[in-house]
């Protein structure tokens, strides 16, 4: 017969393995909205940006965010592609259409930085 200490240790190992396995399986599925968000993110990483550096486009301001530099930045989208816009005047508000010039892309080309040109 096996020693109770060995049985207890084996039971703990099995329980820990089961917990890790459960988290991995559950983490992959998640909620429906988490799955959709993850799928959209993965699709965005694979597609080419709909703009090029130097392009001038009109976007509506989706929201404002604080940049890590402390500056206030507007966020706009071009065909679902996120663009962070600098130098936006304080009198601009969410939903305002503005003209911007694309300056650069982030490392993965999943978003861009642009400069405010004028209100549209």
């Amino acid at each position: 017969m096996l020693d109770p200490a060995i049985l207890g240790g084996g039971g703990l190992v099995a329980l820990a393995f089961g917990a890790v396995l459960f988290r991995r399986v559950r983490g992959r599925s998640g909620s429906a909205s988490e799955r959709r968000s993850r799928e959209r993110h993965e699709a965005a990483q694979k597609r080419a940006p709909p703009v090029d550096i130097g392009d001038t486009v009109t976007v509506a301001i989706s929201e404002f965010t604080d940049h890590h530099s402390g500056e206030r930045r507007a966020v706009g989208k071009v065909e679902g592609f996120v663009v962070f816009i600098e130098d936006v005047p304080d009198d601009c508000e969410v939903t305002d259409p503005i003209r911007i010039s694309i300056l650069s892309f982030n490392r993965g080309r999943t978003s861009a930085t642009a400069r405010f040109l004028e209100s549209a």
Side-chain angles (χ1 to χ4, degrees):
M1 203 151 182
L2 293 175
D3 185 353
I6 293 174
L7 285 175
L12 285 175
V13 168
L15 184 62
F17 180 74
V20 168
L21 186 60
F22 177 76
R23 283 187 181 165
R24 285 187 178 232
V25 169
R26 187 171 188 277
R28 284 191 190 132
S29 60
S31 71
S33 65
E34 288 172 341
R35 281 193 305 274
R36 281 192 304 272
S37 176
R38 186 172 38 255
E39 289 167 359
R40 287 181 186 139
H41 177 72
E42 289 169 359
Q45 290 178 321
K46 294 176 186 174
R47 73 176 181 154
V51 292
D52 287 316
I53 293 176
D55 283 358
T56 299
V57 294
T58 300
V59 298
I61 298 173
S62 305
E63 64 179 303
F64 287 95
T65 185
D66 292 325
H67 189 259
H68 60 81
S69 66
E71 295 177 17
R72 174 180 171 244
R73 298 267 173 104
V75 178
K77 292 187 179 184
V78 178
E79 298 176 25
F81 184 77
V82 176
V83 181
F84 296 96
I85 308 148
E86 55 189 38
D87 301 328
V88 177
D90 290 335
D91 62 341
C92 287
E93 298 179 8
V94 172
T95 72
D96 285 356
I98 58 174
R99 301 271 306 152
I100 61 172
S101 176
I102 305 297
L103 300 174
S104 64
F105 296 107
N106 71 344
R107 189 173 313 174
R109 295 179 60 94
T110 57
S111 66
T113 300
R115 181 180 60 245
F116 171 86
L117 297 176
E118 62 186 1
S119 294

